[in-house]
Amino acid sequence: MLDGKKMLFSGMQATGNITLGNYLGALKNWVNLCDEYECFYCVVDLHSITVRQEPAELRKRARNLLMLYIAAGIDPEKNCLYYQSHVSGHAELGWILNCFTYMGELNRMTQFKDKSAKHADNINGGLYTYPVLMAADILLFQSDVVPVGADQMQHLELTRDIAQRFNNVYGDVFTIPEAYVGKAGARIMSLQDPTKKMSKSDENPNASIYIMDDRDTIIRKFKRAVTDSDTRIIYSEDKPGIRNLIDIYSVASGKTIAEVEKEFDGKGYGDFKLAVGETVADVLEPIHKRFDELSKDKAYVDGIIKANAEKAGYIANKTLRKVQKKVGFPERIR
Ligand code: TRP
């Protein structure tokens, strides 16, 4: 609790290009949560180095992601937007929690299995203990709720188990976090294979709309989106491509599924795809504009980074000191 508000924590990796799926499924929904919660949105750069990164590129992407948080409408005065690497407590608590996590648990993590298959030449310890660092992120802020996608649910479950285990030994140290279930966040699928999720790590650039794509690119990608050989624009199980486009159009325009079906009754896929492209481009336009302004205002963004890292660090340290004391580390002499 801070100022009578419950704590909410989430994070995103700065690797890969942020997609429309990330925006409609996460970022957009984060904007108003600060009315109800004390929100911390972290750029999780420590997690990023579990796979090899080009340093200059990582630095640039991390800053861009932080600016994108702001450009997407998350108010940096009302939310704490910061880099994980600026708050050393993440790594310090991560170490301690490693000692409270079993290899058997980590062996079961499906994301580890997927990622080690993908990066077979670099299956490092960090990739293996990635979920423990994520647990540290969440527990450091005594988070009550964590908005996460289905793919991160297993990590959140593990976080709860670690917290329980620690509390059983040392008393009530950590708040046990829960998944934030708000209004169903949109699940946006790949434009090239609508049976899988739109992903920032997809190798085919036509599969994803990147949040920074320009209007022409957006319209072209929607035009090429994989659909079926039918012609009707209806929301149906056996039309995953059209269903995905209806979902996107619905969230982007604020219209219900039924309204969308009605609007395009009797019209063809071509008209529909163009409308989806234009609507999405309209939604992203103000974000691009704001991002552009932020890119040109280094002093302002630097100020946000400094102030928010301090705020996050202060709160993180409170938990960290308590944990260090509980496990038996010697008192600091002042
Ligand atoms: N692992 C998350 C992902 O890849 C990112 C993340 C890191 C995170 N720490 C977190 C999400 C803490 C929520 C809470 O999506």
Side-chain angles (χ1 to χ4, degrees):
M1 286 279 199
L2 195 69
D3 303 333
K5 276 183 177 169
K6 287 189 169 187
M7 307 293 251
L8 180 147
F9 188 97
S10 201
M12 241 185 226
Q13 286 209 47
T15 33
N17 277 318
I18 301 300
T19 69
L20 181 67
N22 299 127
Y23 175 64
L24 296 179
L27 284 182
K28 181 173 188 266
N29 305 309
W30 292 0
V31 172
N32 293 319
L33 294 176
C34 63
D35 295 339
E36 202 181 331
Y37 299 96
E38 191 68 35
C39 296
F40 296 82
Y41 298 117
C42 187
V43 174
V44 294
D45 47 3
L46 300 186
H47 281 104
S48 292
I49 63 164
T50 55
V51 301
R52 285 286 170 267
Q53 303 293 335
E54 211 282 295
E57 181 72 5
L58 176 60
R59 200 165 2 252
K60 192 173 120 208
R61 284 178 184 280
R63 189 171 174 104
N64 284 352
L65 180 55
L66 200 125
M67 290 195 293
L68 186 61
Y69 282 173
I70 305 172
I74 305 174
D75 183 343
E77 308 287 337
K78 296 188 188 146
N79 299 268
C80 189
L81 313 178
Y82 74 102
Y83 300 120
Q84 193 182 26
S85 61
H86 283 188
V87 176
S88 60
H90 288 272
E92 294 179 71
L93 182 62
W95 170 254
I96 295 172
L97 297 183
N98 266 321
C99 304
F100 290 83
T101 308
Y102 298 115
M103 289 179 63
E105 291 174 308
L106 295 177
N107 288 336
R108 283 197 292 276
M109 295 294 122
T110 57
Q111 189 173 66
F112 172 68
K113 292 183 209 171
D114 294 347
K115 285 199 181 172
S116 34
K118 218 168 142 190
H119 303 279
D121 57 337
N122 181 22
I123 305 176
N124 60 71
L127 197 62
Y128 189 57
T129 58
Y130 178 114
V132 186
L133 180 59
M134 177 163 160
D137 300 343
I138 295 167
L139 300 179
L140 202 50
F141 290 86
Q142 303 291 355
S143 311
D144 295 282
V145 288
V146 183
V148 281
D151 62 325
Q152 296 298 312
M153 217 46 113
Q154 196 185 28
H155 292 164
L156 184 60
E157 279 303 322
L158 177 68
T159 302
R160 291 165 54 87
D161 290 344
I162 297 171
Q164 286 285 9
R165 184 172 303 144
F166 196 95
N167 285 358
N168 285 342
V169 181
Y170 300 104
D172 265 347
V173 177
F174 294 124
T175 302
I176 309 298
E178 283 177 26
Y180 174 82
V181 269
K183 52 177 175 12
R187 191 171 149 81
I188 307 300
M189 313 305 277
S190 156
L191 298 186
Q192 292 299 313
D193 175 1
T195 61
K196 63 177 212 210
K197 206 174 130 180
M198 184 180 285
S199 162
K200 53 186 175 174
S201 53
D202 202 310
E203 269 143 39
N204 181 352
N206 288 322
S208 308
I209 301 290
Y210 300 120
I211 200 164
M212 286 306 178
D213 278 348
D214 61 31
R215 182 171 289 267
D216 289 349
T217 307
I218 294 170
I219 289 172
R220 177 171 46 79
K221 285 183 180 177
F222 276 114
K223 227 179 244 174
R224 289 195 190 159
V226 168
T227 46
D228 50 58
S229 55
D230 187 26
T231 54
R232 291 162 309 149
I233 294 148
I234 48 169
Y235 199 76
S236 150
E237 278 297 324
D238 57 359
K239 294 166 72 72
I242 287 297
R243 204 177 47 183
N244 186 37
L245 296 183
I246 294 179
D247 274 330
I248 294 172
Y249 185 74
S250 158
V251 195
S253 67
K255 293 172 187 165
T256 65
I257 306 288
E259 283 166 349
V260 181
E261 285 178 330
K262 194 155 166 248
E263 183 178 347
F264 291 96
D265 185 25
K267 300 218 172 91
Y269 284 0
D271 288 343
F272 178 51
K273 285 176 168 179
L274 182 63
V276 181
E278 300 214 304
T279 308
V280 167
D282 287 347
V283 166
L284 296 183
E285 196 170 273
I287 299 177
H288 292 178
K289 194 164 161 266
R290 183 82 184 106
F291 184 89
D292 215 45
E293 288 162 7
L294 291 165
S295 309
K296 289 176 189 140
D297 197 346
K298 182 167 187 306
Y300 171 75
V301 176
D302 284 351
I304 297 293
I305 290 171
K306 182 160 186 282
N308 281 338
E310 276 165 14
K311 179 177 174 192
Y314 176 79
I315 293 166
N317 257 332
K318 282 213 267 192
T319 304
L320 186 65
R321 294 290 171 257
K322 192 166 165 190
V323 170
Q324 288 171 329
K325 192 169 165 193
K326 290 282 183 184
V327 299
F329 293 165
E331 210 178 306
R332 278 158 204 260
I333 314 294
R334 292 178 199 283

